[in-house]
Amino acid sequence: MSSTGLAIARTRSPVPALERAGVAVLVGCGGLLIVAPLLLTLYLSVFDETIILFPPKGYTLHWYAAMVPQFARPLLVSLEIGVAAMAGSLLVGVPAGLALARCCWHR
């Protein structure tokens, strides 16, 4: 309150609102740059032709069925490597974390 008893209203500067809007627009553009090629690839993957033609003559999922025999073994190898890496990191990380938590030098 001022000395006359009237409260002086504080006005917010429009700059933070503009900055937030600018950041939101930039984040939206960045997200669109990431998602748009993925969506386009997914859309093109269901075309019936072997080359890209617009408009497509038809849509099919036979490309996905043809992919399974080619990538089944590599997918299983990747899964095995991932499980082994997880197990190894747990075998090393959990005891290390417990040792650091129980150590007396950090107090």
Side-chain angles (χ1 to χ4, degrees):
M1 292 199 134
S2 66
S3 60
T4 60
L6 298 175
I8 298 174
R10 292 185 183 180
T11 58
R12 287 189 168 189
S13 172
V15 174
L18 289 175
E19 287 177 2
R20 272 195 300 274
V23 168
V25 166
L26 288 175
V27 168
C29 288
L32 186 64
L33 284 172
I34 292 171
V35 172
L38 295 174
L39 292 176
L40 182 62
T41 302
L42 183 64
Y43 175 63
L44 293 174
S45 72
V46 295
F47 278 18
D48 196 22
E49 297 88 13
T50 56
I51 59 173
I52 300 171
L53 298 173
F54 285 101
K57 295 178 183 174
Y59 298 99
T60 183
L61 294 175
H62 80 274
W63 302 115
Y64 291 102
M67 185 175 63
V68 172
Q70 294 177 349
F71 291 105
R73 182 66 189 146
L75 184 62
L76 288 175
V77 170
S78 295
L79 187 63
E80 291 170 358
I81 291 172
V83 168
M86 179 195 64
S89 65
L90 284 174
L91 287 173
V92 172
V94 170
L98 289 173
L100 287 173
R102 293 180 180 173
C103 185
C104 59
W105 58 268
H106 75 288
R107 292 182 185 157

